[in-house]
Short mmCIF file of all heavy atoms in Angstrom, two decimals:
data_model
loop_
_atom_site.label_atom_id
_atom_site.label_comp_id
_atom_site.label_asym_id
_atom_site.label_seq_id
_atom_site.Cartn_x
_atom_site.Cartn_y
_atom_site.Cartn_z
N MET A 1200 -118.09 113.53 111.70
CA MET A 1200 -117.28 112.42 111.24
C MET A 1200 -117.70 112.07 109.82
O MET A 1200 -118.87 111.95 109.51
CB MET A 1200 -117.50 111.23 112.19
CG MET A 1200 -116.48 110.15 111.99
SD MET A 1200 -116.70 108.65 113.01
CE MET A 1200 -116.56 109.23 114.66
N SER A 1201 -116.73 111.87 108.97
CA SER A 1201 -117.05 111.58 107.58
C SER A 1201 -117.51 110.13 107.40
O SER A 1201 -117.26 109.27 108.25
CB SER A 1201 -115.82 111.83 106.70
OG SER A 1201 -114.85 110.83 106.93
N MET A 1202 -118.17 109.90 106.31
CA MET A 1202 -118.69 108.56 106.01
C MET A 1202 -117.54 107.57 105.84
O MET A 1202 -117.62 106.42 106.30
CB MET A 1202 -119.56 108.62 104.75
CG MET A 1202 -120.20 107.31 104.43
SD MET A 1202 -121.37 106.91 105.72
CE MET A 1202 -122.50 105.93 104.85
N LYS A 1203 -116.43 107.97 105.21
CA LYS A 1203 -115.29 107.07 105.01
C LYS A 1203 -114.68 106.67 106.35
O LYS A 1203 -114.33 105.52 106.56
CB LYS A 1203 -114.24 107.75 104.14
CG LYS A 1203 -114.60 107.83 102.68
CD LYS A 1203 -113.48 108.43 101.88
CE LYS A 1203 -113.85 108.53 100.42
NZ LYS A 1203 -112.77 109.09 99.62
N ARG A 1204 -114.57 107.64 107.24
CA ARG A 1204 -113.98 107.35 108.55
C ARG A 1204 -114.89 106.41 109.33
O ARG A 1204 -114.43 105.47 109.98
CB ARG A 1204 -113.77 108.65 109.32
CG ARG A 1204 -113.03 108.45 110.60
CD ARG A 1204 -112.67 109.76 111.23
NE ARG A 1204 -111.95 109.51 112.47
CZ ARG A 1204 -111.58 110.42 113.30
NH1 ARG A 1204 -111.85 111.69 113.04
NH2 ARG A 1204 -110.96 110.12 114.39
N THR A 1205 -116.18 106.62 109.26
CA THR A 1205 -117.15 105.76 109.94
C THR A 1205 -117.06 104.33 109.41
O THR A 1205 -117.05 103.37 110.17
CB THR A 1205 -118.57 106.31 109.77
OG1 THR A 1205 -118.63 107.64 110.26
CG2 THR A 1205 -119.58 105.45 110.50
N LEU A 1206 -116.98 104.20 108.10
CA LEU A 1206 -116.87 102.86 107.49
C LEU A 1206 -115.55 102.19 107.86
O LEU A 1206 -115.51 100.98 108.10
CB LEU A 1206 -117.02 102.95 105.97
CG LEU A 1206 -118.43 103.23 105.47
CD1 LEU A 1206 -118.41 103.43 103.95
CD2 LEU A 1206 -119.37 102.11 105.83
N LEU A 1207 -114.48 102.98 107.93
CA LEU A 1207 -113.18 102.43 108.31
C LEU A 1207 -113.22 101.91 109.74
O LEU A 1207 -112.75 100.80 110.02
CB LEU A 1207 -112.08 103.49 108.15
CG LEU A 1207 -110.68 103.04 108.56
CD1 LEU A 1207 -110.22 101.89 107.69
CD2 LEU A 1207 -109.72 104.20 108.49
N ILE A 1208 -113.80 102.67 110.64
CA ILE A 1208 -113.92 102.24 112.04
C ILE A 1208 -114.76 100.97 112.13
O ILE A 1208 -114.41 100.02 112.82
CB ILE A 1208 -114.50 103.37 112.92
CG1 ILE A 1208 -113.49 104.51 113.03
CG2 ILE A 1208 -114.87 102.85 114.30
CD1 ILE A 1208 -114.03 105.77 113.67
N PHE A 1209 -115.88 100.94 111.42
CA PHE A 1209 -116.74 99.76 111.40
C PHE A 1209 -115.98 98.55 110.87
O PHE A 1209 -116.06 97.45 111.44
CB PHE A 1209 -117.98 100.03 110.54
CG PHE A 1209 -118.87 98.83 110.41
CD1 PHE A 1209 -119.68 98.44 111.46
CD2 PHE A 1209 -118.90 98.10 109.24
CE1 PHE A 1209 -120.50 97.32 111.35
CE2 PHE A 1209 -119.70 96.99 109.12
CZ PHE A 1209 -120.51 96.60 110.18
N TYR A 1210 -115.23 98.73 109.82
CA TYR A 1210 -114.45 97.65 109.21
C TYR A 1210 -113.42 97.11 110.19
O TYR A 1210 -113.30 95.89 110.39
CB TYR A 1210 -113.78 98.16 107.93
CG TYR A 1210 -112.89 97.15 107.26
CD1 TYR A 1210 -113.42 96.08 106.56
CD2 TYR A 1210 -111.50 97.25 107.35
CE1 TYR A 1210 -112.60 95.14 105.96
CE2 TYR A 1210 -110.68 96.33 106.75
CZ TYR A 1210 -111.22 95.27 106.06
OH TYR A 1210 -110.42 94.35 105.47
N VAL A 1211 -112.67 98.00 110.84
CA VAL A 1211 -111.63 97.58 111.77
C VAL A 1211 -112.25 96.83 112.96
O VAL A 1211 -111.75 95.78 113.37
CB VAL A 1211 -110.81 98.80 112.26
CG1 VAL A 1211 -109.90 98.43 113.42
CG2 VAL A 1211 -110.00 99.37 111.11
N LEU A 1212 -113.35 97.35 113.49
CA LEU A 1212 -114.02 96.67 114.60
C LEU A 1212 -114.55 95.30 114.19
O LEU A 1212 -114.46 94.33 114.94
CB LEU A 1212 -115.15 97.53 115.16
CG LEU A 1212 -114.71 98.78 115.94
CD1 LEU A 1212 -115.91 99.62 116.30
CD2 LEU A 1212 -113.92 98.39 117.17
N SER A 1213 -115.10 95.21 112.99
CA SER A 1213 -115.64 93.94 112.49
C SER A 1213 -114.54 92.90 112.36
O SER A 1213 -114.71 91.74 112.76
CB SER A 1213 -116.32 94.14 111.14
OG SER A 1213 -117.42 95.00 111.28
N ILE A 1214 -113.41 93.29 111.81
CA ILE A 1214 -112.28 92.36 111.65
C ILE A 1214 -111.80 91.91 113.02
O ILE A 1214 -111.51 90.73 113.23
CB ILE A 1214 -111.13 93.02 110.84
CG1 ILE A 1214 -111.58 93.31 109.42
CG2 ILE A 1214 -109.88 92.14 110.86
CD1 ILE A 1214 -111.98 92.09 108.62
N GLY A 1215 -111.73 92.83 113.98
CA GLY A 1215 -111.30 92.48 115.33
C GLY A 1215 -112.23 91.48 115.98
O GLY A 1215 -111.79 90.51 116.61
N ILE A 1216 -113.51 91.69 115.82
CA ILE A 1216 -114.49 90.78 116.42
C ILE A 1216 -114.43 89.41 115.75
O ILE A 1216 -114.45 88.38 116.42
CB ILE A 1216 -115.91 91.37 116.32
CG1 ILE A 1216 -116.02 92.59 117.24
CG2 ILE A 1216 -116.97 90.33 116.65
CD1 ILE A 1216 -117.27 93.41 117.04
N ILE A 1217 -114.33 89.38 114.45
CA ILE A 1217 -114.25 88.11 113.72
C ILE A 1217 -112.98 87.35 114.12
O ILE A 1217 -113.02 86.15 114.38
CB ILE A 1217 -114.30 88.35 112.19
CG1 ILE A 1217 -115.71 88.83 111.81
CG2 ILE A 1217 -113.92 87.09 111.44
CD1 ILE A 1217 -115.80 89.34 110.39
N THR A 1218 -111.85 88.05 114.19
CA THR A 1218 -110.59 87.41 114.56
C THR A 1218 -110.65 86.87 115.98
O THR A 1218 -110.23 85.75 116.25
CB THR A 1218 -109.43 88.42 114.43
OG1 THR A 1218 -109.41 88.91 113.09
CG2 THR A 1218 -108.09 87.77 114.74
N TYR A 1219 -111.21 87.65 116.89
CA TYR A 1219 -111.34 87.21 118.28
C TYR A 1219 -112.24 85.98 118.36
O TYR A 1219 -111.93 85.02 119.05
CB TYR A 1219 -111.91 88.34 119.14
CG TYR A 1219 -112.11 87.95 120.58
CD1 TYR A 1219 -111.01 87.82 121.43
CD2 TYR A 1219 -113.37 87.70 121.09
CE1 TYR A 1219 -111.17 87.46 122.75
CE2 TYR A 1219 -113.54 87.34 122.41
CZ TYR A 1219 -112.44 87.22 123.24
OH TYR A 1219 -112.63 86.86 124.54
N GLY A 1220 -113.32 85.97 117.62
CA GLY A 1220 -114.24 84.85 117.61
C GLY A 1220 -113.59 83.58 117.10
O GLY A 1220 -113.87 82.48 117.58
N GLN A 1221 -112.70 83.70 116.15
CA GLN A 1221 -112.03 82.52 115.60
C GLN A 1221 -111.09 81.90 116.62
O GLN A 1221 -110.85 80.72 116.61
CB GLN A 1221 -111.26 82.89 114.33
CG GLN A 1221 -112.17 83.17 113.17
CD GLN A 1221 -111.42 83.65 111.94
OE1 GLN A 1221 -110.25 83.98 112.00
NE2 GLN A 1221 -112.11 83.70 110.83
N LYS A 1222 -110.55 82.70 117.53
CA LYS A 1222 -109.67 82.16 118.56
C LYS A 1222 -110.46 81.37 119.59
O LYS A 1222 -109.94 80.47 120.20
CB LYS A 1222 -108.90 83.29 119.22
CG LYS A 1222 -107.86 83.91 118.32
CD LYS A 1222 -107.12 85.02 119.02
CE LYS A 1222 -106.15 85.68 118.07
NZ LYS A 1222 -105.49 86.83 118.68
N ILE A 1223 -111.70 81.72 119.80
CA ILE A 1223 -112.52 81.05 120.79
C ILE A 1223 -113.05 79.73 120.26
O ILE A 1223 -113.05 78.72 120.94
CB ILE A 1223 -113.71 81.95 121.23
CG1 ILE A 1223 -113.15 83.15 121.98
CG2 ILE A 1223 -114.70 81.19 122.07
CD1 ILE A 1223 -114.20 84.17 122.34
N VAL A 1224 -113.48 79.71 119.01
CA VAL A 1224 -114.05 78.51 118.41
C VAL A 1224 -112.94 77.51 118.17
O VAL A 1224 -111.88 77.83 117.67
CB VAL A 1224 -114.77 78.86 117.08
CG1 VAL A 1224 -115.28 77.60 116.41
CG2 VAL A 1224 -115.88 79.84 117.34
N SER A 1225 -113.18 76.29 118.53
CA SER A 1225 -112.17 75.26 118.39
C SER A 1225 -112.72 74.05 117.64
O SER A 1225 -113.89 73.71 117.76
CB SER A 1225 -111.71 74.81 119.77
OG SER A 1225 -110.82 73.74 119.65
N THR A 1226 -111.86 73.45 116.88
CA THR A 1226 -112.24 72.22 116.18
C THR A 1226 -111.69 70.99 116.89
O THR A 1226 -111.92 69.88 116.47
CB THR A 1226 -111.75 72.23 114.73
OG1 THR A 1226 -110.32 72.41 114.73
CG2 THR A 1226 -112.41 73.35 113.94
N ASP A 1227 -110.93 71.23 117.98
CA ASP A 1227 -110.39 70.11 118.74
C ASP A 1227 -111.51 69.44 119.52
O ASP A 1227 -112.30 70.09 120.18
CB ASP A 1227 -109.33 70.59 119.73
CG ASP A 1227 -108.09 71.13 119.03
OD1 ASP A 1227 -107.88 70.77 117.87
OD2 ASP A 1227 -107.33 71.87 119.67
N VAL A 1228 -111.58 68.16 119.41
CA VAL A 1228 -112.58 67.40 120.16
C VAL A 1228 -111.89 66.20 120.79
O VAL A 1228 -110.90 65.70 120.29
CB VAL A 1228 -113.76 66.92 119.28
CG1 VAL A 1228 -114.57 68.10 118.78
CG2 VAL A 1228 -113.28 66.08 118.13
N TYR A 1229 -112.45 65.75 121.86
CA TYR A 1229 -111.95 64.54 122.51
C TYR A 1229 -112.99 63.46 122.30
O TYR A 1229 -114.17 63.64 122.61
CB TYR A 1229 -111.72 64.76 124.00
CG TYR A 1229 -111.28 63.52 124.71
CD1 TYR A 1229 -109.99 63.03 124.55
CD2 TYR A 1229 -112.15 62.81 125.53
CE1 TYR A 1229 -109.58 61.87 125.19
CE2 TYR A 1229 -111.75 61.66 126.19
CZ TYR A 1229 -110.46 61.19 126.01
OH TYR A 1229 -110.05 60.04 126.63
N LYS A 1230 -112.56 62.34 121.77
CA LYS A 1230 -113.46 61.21 121.57
C LYS A 1230 -113.16 60.17 122.62
O LYS A 1230 -112.04 59.68 122.73
CB LYS A 1230 -113.28 60.63 120.16
CG LYS A 1230 -113.72 61.59 119.10
CD LYS A 1230 -113.68 60.96 117.73
CE LYS A 1230 -114.14 61.98 116.70
NZ LYS A 1230 -114.12 61.47 115.36
N TYR A 1231 -114.17 59.88 123.40
CA TYR A 1231 -114.00 58.88 124.45
C TYR A 1231 -113.77 57.52 123.82
O TYR A 1231 -114.30 57.21 122.76
CB TYR A 1231 -115.24 58.85 125.35
CG TYR A 1231 -115.32 60.06 126.25
CD1 TYR A 1231 -116.06 61.17 125.89
CD2 TYR A 1231 -114.63 60.08 127.45
CE1 TYR A 1231 -116.11 62.29 126.72
CE2 TYR A 1231 -114.68 61.18 128.28
CZ TYR A 1231 -115.42 62.28 127.90
OH TYR A 1231 -115.47 63.37 128.72
N PRO A 1232 -112.97 56.67 124.48
CA PRO A 1232 -112.63 55.37 123.90
C PRO A 1232 -113.77 54.37 123.89
O PRO A 1232 -113.66 53.30 123.31
CB PRO A 1232 -111.48 54.89 124.78
CG PRO A 1232 -111.63 55.62 126.06
CD PRO A 1232 -112.26 56.93 125.72
N PHE A 1233 -114.89 54.70 124.55
CA PHE A 1233 -116.03 53.80 124.56
C PHE A 1233 -117.30 54.60 124.81
O PHE A 1233 -117.25 55.77 125.15
CB PHE A 1233 -115.87 52.71 125.63
CG PHE A 1233 -115.58 53.26 127.00
CD1 PHE A 1233 -116.61 53.63 127.84
CD2 PHE A 1233 -114.28 53.43 127.43
CE1 PHE A 1233 -116.35 54.14 129.10
CE2 PHE A 1233 -114.01 53.95 128.68
CZ PHE A 1233 -115.05 54.30 129.52
N LYS A 1234 -118.44 53.96 124.62
CA LYS A 1234 -119.74 54.58 124.83
C LYS A 1234 -120.50 53.82 125.91
O LYS A 1234 -120.10 52.72 126.29
CB LYS A 1234 -120.54 54.59 123.53
CG LYS A 1234 -119.90 55.41 122.44
CD LYS A 1234 -120.71 55.37 121.17
CE LYS A 1234 -120.00 56.18 120.10
NZ LYS A 1234 -120.69 56.15 118.84
N GLN A 1235 -121.61 54.37 126.33
CA GLN A 1235 -122.37 53.73 127.42
C GLN A 1235 -122.88 52.34 127.06
O GLN A 1235 -123.08 51.52 127.94
CB GLN A 1235 -123.53 54.62 127.83
CG GLN A 1235 -123.09 55.83 128.61
CD GLN A 1235 -124.26 56.66 129.07
OE1 GLN A 1235 -125.34 56.59 128.50
NE2 GLN A 1235 -124.06 57.46 130.10
N ASP A 1236 -123.11 52.07 125.82
CA ASP A 1236 -123.64 50.77 125.43
C ASP A 1236 -122.55 49.72 125.18
O ASP A 1236 -122.85 48.56 124.95
CB ASP A 1236 -124.51 50.90 124.18
CG ASP A 1236 -125.77 51.71 124.45
OD1 ASP A 1236 -126.23 51.73 125.61
OD2 ASP A 1236 -126.29 52.31 123.50
N ASP A 1237 -121.29 50.13 125.21
CA ASP A 1237 -120.20 49.21 124.95
C ASP A 1237 -120.00 48.23 126.11
O ASP A 1237 -120.35 48.51 127.24
CB ASP A 1237 -118.88 49.97 124.73
CG ASP A 1237 -118.90 50.79 123.45
OD1 ASP A 1237 -119.78 50.57 122.61
OD2 ASP A 1237 -118.01 51.65 123.30
N ALA A 1238 -119.40 47.10 125.80
CA ALA A 1238 -119.12 46.09 126.82
C ALA A 1238 -118.16 46.64 127.87
O ALA A 1238 -118.29 46.33 129.06
CB ALA A 1238 -118.53 44.85 126.17
N LYS A 1239 -117.22 47.47 127.44
CA LYS A 1239 -116.26 48.04 128.40
C LYS A 1239 -116.99 48.90 129.43
O LYS A 1239 -116.68 48.86 130.62
CB LYS A 1239 -115.20 48.86 127.68
CG LYS A 1239 -114.11 49.36 128.58
CD LYS A 1239 -112.99 50.01 127.80
CE LYS A 1239 -111.88 50.46 128.75
NZ LYS A 1239 -110.76 51.04 128.05
N TRP A 1240 -117.95 49.70 128.99
CA TRP A 1240 -118.72 50.54 129.90
C TRP A 1240 -119.50 49.67 130.90
O TRP A 1240 -119.53 49.95 132.09
CB TRP A 1240 -119.68 51.43 129.12
CG TRP A 1240 -120.58 52.26 129.98
CD1 TRP A 1240 -121.88 52.02 130.28
CD2 TRP A 1240 -120.24 53.45 130.69
NE1 TRP A 1240 -122.39 52.98 131.12
CE2 TRP A 1240 -121.39 53.88 131.38
CE3 TRP A 1240 -119.08 54.20 130.82
CZ2 TRP A 1240 -121.40 55.02 132.17
CZ3 TRP A 1240 -119.09 55.34 131.60
CH2 TRP A 1240 -120.25 55.73 132.26
N LYS A 1241 -120.09 48.62 130.39
CA LYS A 1241 -120.88 47.74 131.25
C LYS A 1241 -120.02 46.95 132.24
O LYS A 1241 -120.51 46.49 133.27
CB LYS A 1241 -121.71 46.79 130.40
CG LYS A 1241 -122.80 47.52 129.62
CD LYS A 1241 -123.57 46.60 128.72
CE LYS A 1241 -124.60 47.38 127.94
NZ LYS A 1241 -125.35 46.56 127.00
N SER A 1242 -118.71 46.83 131.92
CA SER A 1242 -117.82 46.09 132.82
C SER A 1242 -117.51 46.86 134.09
O SER A 1242 -117.09 46.26 135.08
CB SER A 1242 -116.52 45.74 132.10
OG SER A 1242 -115.72 46.90 131.91
N TYR A 1243 -117.73 48.17 134.10
CA TYR A 1243 -117.50 48.95 135.32
C TYR A 1243 -118.66 48.69 136.29
O TYR A 1243 -119.81 48.85 135.94
CB TYR A 1243 -117.39 50.45 135.01
CG TYR A 1243 -116.16 50.79 134.20
CD1 TYR A 1243 -116.27 51.19 132.88
CD2 TYR A 1243 -114.89 50.71 134.76
CE1 TYR A 1243 -115.14 51.50 132.13
CE2 TYR A 1243 -113.76 51.01 134.02
CZ TYR A 1243 -113.89 51.41 132.71
OH TYR A 1243 -112.79 51.71 131.98
N LYS A 1244 -118.31 48.33 137.50
CA LYS A 1244 -119.33 47.93 138.47
C LYS A 1244 -119.89 49.11 139.28
O LYS A 1244 -121.03 49.07 139.70
CB LYS A 1244 -118.76 46.88 139.42
CG LYS A 1244 -118.30 45.62 138.71
CD LYS A 1244 -119.45 44.96 137.97
CE LYS A 1244 -118.95 43.74 137.22
NZ LYS A 1244 -119.88 43.26 136.23
N SER A 1245 -119.08 50.13 139.49
CA SER A 1245 -119.55 51.23 140.34
C SER A 1245 -119.57 52.55 139.56
O SER A 1245 -118.90 52.71 138.53
CB SER A 1245 -118.65 51.38 141.56
OG SER A 1245 -117.37 51.88 141.17
N ALA A 1246 -120.33 53.49 140.08
CA ALA A 1246 -120.40 54.82 139.48
C ALA A 1246 -119.02 55.49 139.54
O ALA A 1246 -118.62 56.18 138.62
CB ALA A 1246 -121.44 55.67 140.19
N ARG A 1247 -118.30 55.27 140.64
CA ARG A 1247 -116.96 55.86 140.78
C ARG A 1247 -116.02 55.37 139.67
O ARG A 1247 -115.28 56.15 139.08
CB ARG A 1247 -116.37 55.53 142.15
CG ARG A 1247 -114.91 55.94 142.26
CD ARG A 1247 -114.39 55.80 143.64
NE ARG A 1247 -114.58 57.15 144.19
CZ ARG A 1247 -114.56 57.46 145.44
NH1 ARG A 1247 -114.38 56.53 146.34
NH2 ARG A 1247 -114.71 58.69 145.84
N ASP A 1248 -116.07 54.07 139.37
CA ASP A 1248 -115.23 53.52 138.30
C ASP A 1248 -115.59 54.16 136.95
O ASP A 1248 -114.71 54.47 136.15
CB ASP A 1248 -115.39 52.00 138.21
CG ASP A 1248 -114.79 51.27 139.39
OD1 ASP A 1248 -113.93 51.85 140.09
OD2 ASP A 1248 -115.19 50.11 139.62
N ARG A 1249 -116.87 54.35 136.72
CA ARG A 1249 -117.31 54.96 135.46
C ARG A 1249 -116.88 56.41 135.38
O ARG A 1249 -116.44 56.87 134.33
CB ARG A 1249 -118.82 54.84 135.32
CG ARG A 1249 -119.25 53.40 135.07
CD ARG A 1249 -120.74 53.26 135.00
NE ARG A 1249 -121.08 51.88 134.68
CZ ARG A 1249 -122.25 51.34 134.87
NH1 ARG A 1249 -123.24 52.04 135.38
NH2 ARG A 1249 -122.47 50.09 134.54
N ILE A 1250 -116.99 57.14 136.48
CA ILE A 1250 -116.56 58.54 136.49
C ILE A 1250 -115.07 58.64 136.22
O ILE A 1250 -114.62 59.47 135.44
CB ILE A 1250 -116.94 59.20 137.83
CG1 ILE A 1250 -118.45 59.36 137.91
CG2 ILE A 1250 -116.23 60.55 137.99
CD1 ILE A 1250 -118.97 59.78 139.27
N GLU A 1251 -114.29 57.79 136.86
CA GLU A 1251 -112.85 57.79 136.64
C GLU A 1251 -112.51 57.45 135.19
O GLU A 1251 -111.59 58.03 134.60
CB GLU A 1251 -112.16 56.82 137.59
CG GLU A 1251 -112.13 57.32 139.02
CD GLU A 1251 -111.48 56.32 139.97
OE1 GLU A 1251 -110.77 55.41 139.51
OE2 GLU A 1251 -111.71 56.46 141.18
N ALA A 1252 -113.24 56.54 134.60
CA ALA A 1252 -112.99 56.14 133.21
C ALA A 1252 -113.32 57.27 132.24
O ALA A 1252 -112.76 57.33 131.15
CB ALA A 1252 -113.81 54.91 132.87
N LEU A 1253 -114.21 58.16 132.62
CA LEU A 1253 -114.62 59.25 131.74
C LEU A 1253 -113.76 60.50 131.85
O LEU A 1253 -113.98 61.47 131.14
CB LEU A 1253 -116.08 59.62 132.01
CG LEU A 1253 -117.10 58.56 131.62
CD1 LEU A 1253 -118.49 58.97 132.07
CD2 LEU A 1253 -117.07 58.31 130.13
N GLN A 1254 -112.76 60.50 132.72
CA GLN A 1254 -111.90 61.67 132.87
C GLN A 1254 -110.98 61.81 131.66
O GLN A 1254 -110.34 60.86 131.23
CB GLN A 1254 -111.07 61.57 134.15
CG GLN A 1254 -111.91 61.48 135.41
CD GLN A 1254 -112.90 62.62 135.52
OE1 GLN A 1254 -112.53 63.78 135.50
NE2 GLN A 1254 -114.18 62.29 135.64
N ILE A 1255 -110.93 63.02 131.13
CA ILE A 1255 -110.03 63.30 130.01
C ILE A 1255 -108.63 63.48 130.59
O ILE A 1255 -108.45 64.25 131.54
CB ILE A 1255 -110.46 64.58 129.26
CG1 ILE A 1255 -111.87 64.42 128.71
CG2 ILE A 1255 -109.47 64.90 128.14
CD1 ILE A 1255 -112.45 65.68 128.11
N PRO A 1256 -107.64 62.78 130.04
CA PRO A 1256 -106.28 62.91 130.55
C PRO A 1256 -105.80 64.36 130.52
O PRO A 1256 -106.07 65.10 129.57
CB PRO A 1256 -105.45 62.04 129.59
CG PRO A 1256 -106.45 61.08 129.01
CD PRO A 1256 -107.74 61.82 128.94
N SER A 1257 -105.08 64.79 131.56
CA SER A 1257 -104.66 66.19 131.67
C SER A 1257 -103.78 66.62 130.50
O SER A 1257 -103.81 67.79 130.10
CB SER A 1257 -103.93 66.43 133.00
OG SER A 1257 -102.78 65.62 133.09
N VAL A 1258 -103.01 65.71 129.95
CA VAL A 1258 -102.18 66.06 128.79
C VAL A 1258 -103.05 66.52 127.62
O VAL A 1258 -102.72 67.46 126.91
CB VAL A 1258 -101.30 64.85 128.37
CG1 VAL A 1258 -100.55 65.13 127.10
CG2 VAL A 1258 -100.38 64.46 129.49
N ILE A 1259 -104.17 65.87 127.45
CA ILE A 1259 -105.10 66.21 126.36
C ILE A 1259 -105.90 67.47 126.70
O ILE A 1259 -106.12 68.31 125.84
CB ILE A 1259 -106.02 65.03 126.05
CG1 ILE A 1259 -105.18 63.85 125.52
CG2 ILE A 1259 -107.11 65.42 125.05
CD1 ILE A 1259 -105.93 62.57 125.34
N VAL A 1260 -106.29 67.63 127.96
CA VAL A 1260 -107.07 68.81 128.36
C VAL A 1260 -106.31 70.08 128.03
O VAL A 1260 -106.86 71.05 127.55
CB VAL A 1260 -107.42 68.75 129.87
CG1 VAL A 1260 -107.96 70.07 130.35
CG2 VAL A 1260 -108.42 67.64 130.13
N HIS A 1261 -105.02 70.08 128.27
CA HIS A 1261 -104.20 71.27 128.02
C HIS A 1261 -104.10 71.61 126.53
O HIS A 1261 -103.84 72.76 126.18
CB HIS A 1261 -102.80 71.12 128.61
CG HIS A 1261 -102.82 71.04 130.12
ND1 HIS A 1261 -103.26 72.06 130.91
CD2 HIS A 1261 -102.47 70.04 130.97
CE1 HIS A 1261 -103.18 71.71 132.17
NE2 HIS A 1261 -102.71 70.48 132.23
N ARG A 1262 -104.33 70.65 125.67
CA ARG A 1262 -104.28 70.92 124.23
C ARG A 1262 -105.62 71.39 123.68
O ARG A 1262 -105.67 71.93 122.58
CB ARG A 1262 -103.86 69.65 123.48
CG ARG A 1262 -102.43 69.26 123.76
CD ARG A 1262 -101.93 68.20 122.81
NE ARG A 1262 -102.95 67.26 122.39
CZ ARG A 1262 -102.77 65.96 122.21
NH1 ARG A 1262 -101.61 65.44 122.45
NH2 ARG A 1262 -103.73 65.19 121.80
N LEU A 1263 -106.70 71.15 124.42
CA LEU A 1263 -108.02 71.56 123.96
C LEU A 1263 -108.20 73.06 124.15
O LEU A 1263 -107.68 73.63 125.10
CB LEU A 1263 -109.10 70.82 124.72
CG LEU A 1263 -109.15 69.31 124.53
CD1 LEU A 1263 -110.22 68.70 125.43
CD2 LEU A 1263 -109.41 68.94 123.09
N HIS A 1264 -108.92 73.69 123.25
CA HIS A 1264 -109.20 75.12 123.34
C HIS A 1264 -110.67 75.29 123.71
O HIS A 1264 -111.54 74.72 123.08
CB HIS A 1264 -108.94 75.79 122.00
CG HIS A 1264 -107.55 75.57 121.50
ND1 HIS A 1264 -106.49 76.31 121.94
CD2 HIS A 1264 -107.04 74.67 120.63
CE1 HIS A 1264 -105.39 75.89 121.35
NE2 HIS A 1264 -105.70 74.90 120.54
N PHE A 1265 -110.90 76.11 124.70
CA PHE A 1265 -112.26 76.34 125.14
C PHE A 1265 -112.71 77.72 124.73
O PHE A 1265 -112.03 78.64 124.66
CB PHE A 1265 -112.42 76.18 126.64
CG PHE A 1265 -112.15 74.76 127.07
CD1 PHE A 1265 -110.94 74.40 127.60
CD2 PHE A 1265 -113.12 73.80 126.93
CE1 PHE A 1265 -110.70 73.10 127.99
CE2 PHE A 1265 -112.89 72.50 127.32
CZ PHE A 1265 -111.67 72.15 127.85
#
């Protein structure tokens, strides 16, 4: 195999890997409307209420890229 062909194969594979990696990495983030120290967080009396409050809405989950 010639050196040019080897470099071409390496180049094509590198571009493919880089392109694939860019599809995986996401800049989408979900920011919760409150934090643990906020008054709203402290207003929840049970662990179940807090867990429910921390659920990301399904409409937003579908837009996030993992």
Side-chain angles (χ1 to χ4, degrees):
M1200 193 183 298
S1201 72
M1202 184 66 153
K1203 286 183 180 181
R1204 187 172 180 186
T1205 303
L1206 287 174
L1207 178 62
I1208 292 171
F1209 176 75
Y1210 176 75
V1211 169
L1212 289 174
S1213 297
I1214 295 299
I1216 291 169
I1217 291 169
T1218 302
Y1219 179 74
Q1221 288 175 348
K1222 290 180 183 175
I1223 293 175
V1224 176
S1225 175
T1226 57
D1227 293 339
V1228 294
Y1229 177 74
K1230 293 186 180 179
Y1231 287 95
F1233 53 87
K1234 297 180 182 178
Q1235 287 183 337
D1236 294 333
D1237 292 346
K1239 186 173 182 177
W1240 176 259
K1241 292 177 182 177
S1242 72
Y1243 294 110
K1244 300 300 178 195
S1245 70
R1247 171 172 266 163
D1248 291 340
R1249 290 177 176 162
I1250 290 170
E1251 287 178 18
L1253 292 174
Q1254 300 306 303
I1255 300 173
S1257 61
V1258 174
I1259 296 173
V1260 168
H1261 295 297
R1262 292 192 327 218
L1263 296 176
H1264 304 278
F1265 295 99

